[in-house]
Amino acid sequence: AQKVTQAQTEISVVEKEDVTLDCVYETRDTTYYLFWYKQPPSGELVFLIRRNSFDEQNEISGRYSWNFQKSTSSFNFTITASQVVDSAVYFCALSEGNYGGATNKLIFGTGTLLAVQP
Amino acid sequence: DTEVTQTPKHLVMGMTNKKSLKCEQHMGHRAMYWYKQKAKKPPELMFVYSYEKLSINESVPSRFSPECPNSSLLNLHLHALQPEDSALYLCASSQGVMSVRGANVLTFGAGSRLTVL
């Protein structure tokens, strides 16, 4: 069965601190896709990154970076020099592959509420 | 501006009312989704439409009735709801449901916040 675990329910940091959000996943498929979405108070889920199971390269986008480690089934997300605008709920999600290709059925983790204090 | 537009943003209805939630996208996406999100919980998939045909129904009660009139529009008709159906209803779209190139990215709307009295 597929499952995504975000053990950190809430994190509070002070502006300019670095913060890492943890994500651990379970799947029996060899082909799968991992996502991070941000949900600010406005409610809209904003796509941040997609990573497939064959690509373990870490990625950096501005202040955001992601560390994908298949050996530990983790896909962690780090925000460097956090800002108040980073305050949101962050969801990690998993989508499995299939014989015909990848499906879009997303399984979300429970989310981590990040509060960045000025 | 979000590329998936949902209306209304807020809806309050009684248990005997009939109302509808609407979702529109103009990105040429051929897959559209309804998710339900309770407070402090992750989104849960309700329905998936692919090329205007219902492809997934996650055992949703019949008091929720989806409709996809065309590839740009998705409706969710609500009838005889219960107070526990109060939630944020999120619409999303993607280029397709399945792809040999990899899982498509879902683009979400801002949601319709429903309160059932």
Side-chain angles (χ1 to χ4, degrees):
Chain A
Q2 50 182 325
K3 184 180 177 183
V4 177
T5 301
Q6 294 180 256
Q8 304 149 309
T9 306
E10 293 186 31
I11 300 176
S12 182
V13 299
V14 177
E15 214 171 11
K16 297 185 183 175
E17 282 186 25
D18 297 348
V19 58
T20 295
L21 309 182
D22 297 333
C23 173
V24 174
Y25 62 91
E26 294 176 32
T27 178
R28 293 180 184 168
D29 273 15
T30 55
T31 302
Y32 53 90
Y33 302 84
L34 295 164
F35 299 78
W36 276 95
Y37 279 87
K38 172 183 179 180
Q39 188 174 37
S42 59
E44 177 186 352
L45 280 154
V46 178
F47 166 74
L48 296 177
I49 189 171
R50 174 186 60 192
R51 174 66 74 220
N52 74 52
S53 52
F54 300 113
D55 182 3
E56 283 194 78
Q57 277 192 335
N58 291 328
E59 181 152 342
I60 297 175
S61 176
R63 296 184 297 107
Y64 295 170
S65 62
W66 290 269
N67 184 343
F68 177 31
Q69 293 198 335
K70 286 178 76 170
S71 60
T72 56
S73 296
S74 65
F75 186 42
N76 296 338
F77 172 32
T78 297
I79 301 175
T80 303
S82 59
Q83 299 176 1
V84 172
V85 293
D86 295 327
S87 298
V89 179
Y90 290 85
F91 288 101
C92 181
L94 168 70
S95 176
E96 290 184 331
N98 210 327
Y99 293 113
T103 72
N104 278 354
K105 189 171 176 180
L106 285 177
I107 302 299
F108 286 90
T110 50
T112 298
L113 173 62
L114 174 64
V116 182
Q117 310 296 335
Chain B
D1 288 342
T2 182
E3 294 178 272
V4 176
T5 304
Q6 291 188 243
T7 55
K9 285 189 168 44
H10 300 274
L11 178 64
V12 180
M13 60 186 291
M15 289 190 283
T16 57
N17 292 158
K18 284 185 183 180
K19 297 285 185 182
S20 297
L21 305 180
K22 297 184 185 302
C23 175
E24 190 169 3
Q25 57 89 12
H26 294 289
M27 295 178 283
H29 288 175
R30 302 314 299 266
M32 296 187 77
Y33 310 74
W34 280 114
Y35 278 82
K36 174 182 178 179
Q37 186 178 23
K38 301 280 280 183
K40 298 187 186 299
K41 297 289 187 184
E44 295 179 348
L45 182 64
M46 299 175 72
F47 302 104
V48 180
Y49 272 84
S50 177
Y51 290 84
E52 294 110 69
K53 287 187 172 30
L54 184 65
S55 63
I56 295 178
N57 175 342
E58 291 286 287
S59 303
V60 179
S62 60
R63 57 186 185 268
F64 295 92
S65 174
E67 177 196 20
C68 190
N70 60 57
S71 59
S72 299
L73 293 174
L74 184 66
N75 299 320
L76 186 63
H77 302 299
L78 314 171
H79 174 54
L81 295 193
Q82 305 296 312
E84 59 264 29
D85 296 321
S86 298
L88 180 68
Y89 288 84
L90 292 161
C91 175
S93 69
S94 67
Q95 286 187 330
V97 174
M98 290 184 66
S99 168
V100 295
R101 293 185 299 276
N104 292 303
V105 173
L106 270 64
T107 300
F108 284 85
S112 292
R113 192 165 297 280
L114 173 68
T115 302
V116 182
L117 301 177

